[in-house]
Amino acid sequence: MQEPLKILVAEDEYLCLMGLKANLEGLGYEVVGEATDGEEAVKLALDKRPDLIIMDINMPSVDGIEAIRRINNKIFIPSIIVSGYHDQELIEKASVEDIFGYLVKPVDANDLSAAIKVAMSRYKEFKRLESELKDTKLSLENRKYIERAKGILMDRKGLKEAEAMKELQQMSRNNNKKMIDLAKEIIKADSLFNV
């Protein structure tokens, strides 16, 4: 059985806070923290590390969008903003801050359920793309090392590019080392000879 989603709720109006909490628990989610101002929301989020944050946009001390920005600067947690009204400027501001949903009060259980499913789906896609980008960057970085090592083999042994690549692959197999690790060793060794 899957663990329930852990949610932090930040709302300065007590009745709205209790209503959100009751709806979330009724939907089977676990409310791990309740904040009544933006500063408290930041502290609780960093301490509790919930799976999702639902935050009112108008919070005392620090507004909801600024609180989410501060949290996301430390750890990225998906969030849904709740507002008392449709305000195009606020919606624009929220969309720039990697906020995954926007709800207008009064919020009922059906609104919450749909917004949470969409937000978590968008977050999963965000994490997948982030991982893909990281892998691509690593692959490009590794490729640079391999190309440099190949160039060193071409210069030192008078090989053509394809021959240098085969040599590098053969050395990798013979030494039971990843090609990137071998490439780094070749570059390091070459730099010692060129001192």
Side-chain angles (χ1 to χ4, degrees):
M1 193 169 124
Q2 192 176 352
E3 292 230 351
L5 210 57
K6 293 174 174 50
I7 300 176
L8 168 67
V9 181
E11 167 63 69
D12 64 324
E13 294 176 37
Y14 185 75
L15 290 177
C16 287
L17 178 68
M18 290 300 105
L20 283 169
K21 182 179 178 184
N23 281 333
L24 289 167
E25 289 173 344
L27 291 166
Y29 299 116
E30 181 184 349
V31 176
V32 293
E34 302 162 28
T36 55
D37 70 59
E39 204 67 57
E40 184 184 13
V42 172
K43 287 178 189 156
L44 275 172
L46 297 177
D47 181 47
K48 302 282 187 183
R49 297 183 180 253
D51 301 314
L52 178 70
I53 299 168
I54 297 175
M55 179 142 7
D56 186 10
I57 204 160
N58 293 315
M59 297 287 284
S61 75
V62 176
D63 75 60
I65 292 175
E66 177 59 27
I68 288 168
R69 181 184 301 124
R70 289 182 187 180
I71 294 163
N72 286 345
N73 282 340
K74 304 244 192 248
I75 52 170
F76 192 84
I77 300 172
S79 56
I80 297 170
I81 281 288
V82 178
S83 178
Y85 38 99
H86 286 283
D87 181 330
Q88 199 55 43
E89 191 178 316
L90 288 177
I91 293 170
E92 291 288 323
K93 196 174 171 188
S95 67
V96 171
E97 289 304 321
D98 291 323
I99 291 168
F100 288 73
Y102 190 98
L103 289 170
V104 178
K105 295 177 189 175
V107 178
D108 66 22
N110 290 332
D111 295 335
L112 269 176
S113 180
I116 290 168
K117 285 177 182 154
V118 169
M120 296 314 291
S121 176
R122 286 188 63 210
Y123 179 66
K124 192 182 288 184
E125 178 65 7
F126 172 84
K127 293 305 279 179
R128 186 189 68 75
L129 291 172
E130 184 180 56
S131 174
E132 219 172 84
L133 180 61
K134 194 183 216 178
D135 291 347
T136 301
K137 282 182 178 177
L138 181 62
S139 181
L140 283 171
E141 189 178 306
N142 288 349
R143 191 78 212 148
K144 286 179 188 175
Y145 284 112
I146 291 168
E147 288 298 319
R148 202 158 143 214
K150 195 167 64 171
I152 291 167
L153 289 177
M154 289 166 64
D155 289 345
R156 294 259 179 218
K157 295 188 167 193
L159 300 172
K160 292 185 174 155
E161 188 175 351
E163 295 169 329
M165 188 63 183
K166 281 184 183 173
E167 174 95 8
L168 199 55
Q169 290 169 333
Q170 188 62 47
M171 290 168 72
S172 172
R173 281 192 296 273
N174 291 347
N175 292 296
N176 198 23
K177 287 187 180 180
K178 291 182 180 178
M179 204 152 44
I180 183 61
D181 296 333
L182 186 63
K184 288 178 179 178
E185 287 176 12
I186 291 169
I187 294 165
K188 185 175 181 182
D190 186 62
S191 70
L192 294 174
F193 285 117
N194 291 328
V195 172

